[in-house]
Amino acid sequence: MSKIIFESIESDVRFLNPLKEFAEDVQTLQIRKDPLLGDTSVFNPELKDKAEIFFGSCDQGLIDTLVEDTAKTCFFCGEAVAKSTPRFMPDFSSEGRIKVGEALLFPNLFSLGTYHPVIRLCDAHFLKLSEFTPELISNGFLAAQQFNRIAYEKDPSVAYAAVTANYLFPAGASLVHPHLQMIATPIPYSYQARMINACNKWQKNYGTSYFVDLIEEEEGGPRYIGQTGKWHWLTPFSPLGNNEIIAVHEDFGDLDDLSEKDINNISSGISKVLNYYETLGHLSYNYALYSVRNEQGDGSFRTLLKIITRQNLYPNYRNDDYFLQKLLQSELIITPPEELAEQLKKTF
Ligand SMILES: [Zn+2]
């Protein structure tokens, strides 16, 4: 019997529907639980194919104005990036910043972690999702890995890292210009802490890594998308965000252990996912790659990427995080993970 249980319940909701002259209507909801953390998500089949109601459509005119206006004062553009972005203390990095291709990593002006660098990804002020090439994403991750290596060397307490992306205002970005951020700290932040604790318990109970068991369980199934090198791409049974895709490294839990090939392979996967999101009409996204320092862990964690779409950009757009996500920490499923995987599989 499988160790991983994909648990869900169904609920029939009955009401008198004004759209059907107040005849009795019944909608069958599915409430799913994440097998590792128990986090819930809900799917109402009546909302399937109604993404438009929740996410609207991007307004190209608004995007053009936004890009043009923000480019005038962008300090990630042109010569401003050298003049206006912070530098590291000389005892941390004699170069002041880390450069890989067009990617440039430097300290955040207002840190939200023990270490919190920002990585300007490219020279271009704005990119369509299909313009995020594997090379460009790779340069960003390679800069993050170099930074993490210095942080490990200088500070033995640093153990937990997340390399993250917010693209455009609906995703929480304060700048249009494509960039990543990275948090490296002595304690894991809430969500990562919950995953690590659950993985530790799993390892104690079964003697195996949850994520390795997950790959084994999902491979070839309806939520499995494909492989790029040692990364396995799938849709989570109970997602944390809209159109969520995850990638799990089959061997390593520490960003430091990833080879350049591993980084190129995850970047090529992210590029494929972003391309796919563009075909769905999305533009705004978040992702996070989580890492645990080897010395700190019990070997049960695996570097893991989670990527989701966010609200579309149009005037007076609604927020896609409401009570359900923010205060009940549950997600609404519009497209079932199994269908999402089926569609994305074609491009992997
Ligand atoms: Zn810019």
Side-chain angles (χ1 to χ4, degrees), residues 69-86:
D69 287 353
T70 54
K72 291 173 195 154
T73 53
C74 180
F75 55 89
F76 286 3
C77 265
E79 288 173 10
V81 74
K83 288 183 191 153
S84 310
T85 53

Side-chain angles (χ1 to χ4, degrees), residues 48-238:
K48 195 171 154 282
D49 306 321
K50 294 196 175 60
E52 177 75 20
I53 294 175
F54 288 89
F55 300 103
S57 299
C58 284
D59 179 327
Q60 196 52 50
L62 179 71
I63 294 162
D64 294 344
T65 309
L66 180 77
V67 170
E68 202 176 306
D69 287 353
T70 54
K72 291 173 195 154
T73 53
C74 180
F75 55 89
F76 286 3
C77 265
E79 288 173 10
V81 74
K83 288 183 191 153
S84 310
T85 53
R87 298 169 67 91
F88 291 108
M89 299 292 288
D91 61 349
F92 187 83
S93 158
S94 57
E95 306 286 318
R97 303 186 185 105
I98 295 170
K99 190 163 171 42
V100 180
E102 288 182 27
L104 189 70
L105 180 148
F106 42 84
N108 197 331
L109 263 184
F110 305 104
S111 211
L112 304 179
T114 312
Y115 299 90
H116 182 182
V118 175
I119 306 151
R120 186 204 76 139
L121 270 185
C122 53
D123 295 338
H125 179 66
F126 171 81
L127 294 174
K128 294 197 308 185
L129 296 197
S130 52
E131 293 171 331
F132 282 87
T133 61
E135 188 194 356
L136 186 153
I137 299 165
S138 238
N139 289 341
F141 279 120
L142 287 168
Q145 190 186 43
Q146 276 188 37
F147 173 85
N148 201 51
R149 212 156 269 168
I150 301 172
Y152 275 7
E153 202 182 291
K154 306 272 178 190
D155 187 345
S157 78
V158 171
Y160 305 96
V163 184
T164 61
N166 305 325
Y167 194 50
L168 302 176
F169 306 141
S174 56
L175 293 170
V176 165
H177 203 119
H179 61 283
L180 305 177
Q181 303 190 40
M182 179 179 185
I183 299 273
T185 53
I187 63 160
Y189 283 7
S190 309
Y191 185 74
Q192 195 172 358
R194 290 177 59 221
M195 283 197 290
I196 292 165
N197 289 340
C199 283
N200 291 348
K201 271 190 199 151
W202 189 275
Q203 175 111 330
K204 275 196 194 103
N205 285 345
Y206 301 109
T208 51
S209 160
Y210 169 79
F211 285 114
V212 173
D213 289 346
L214 182 72
I215 295 169
E216 202 182 294
E217 177 70 32
E218 292 284 45
E219 208 165 356
R223 288 176 295 276
Y224 191 83
I225 297 163
Q227 218 175 327
T228 57
K230 288 174 178 260
W231 299 96
H232 295 259
W233 296 79
L234 51 134
T235 52
F237 175 71
S238 178

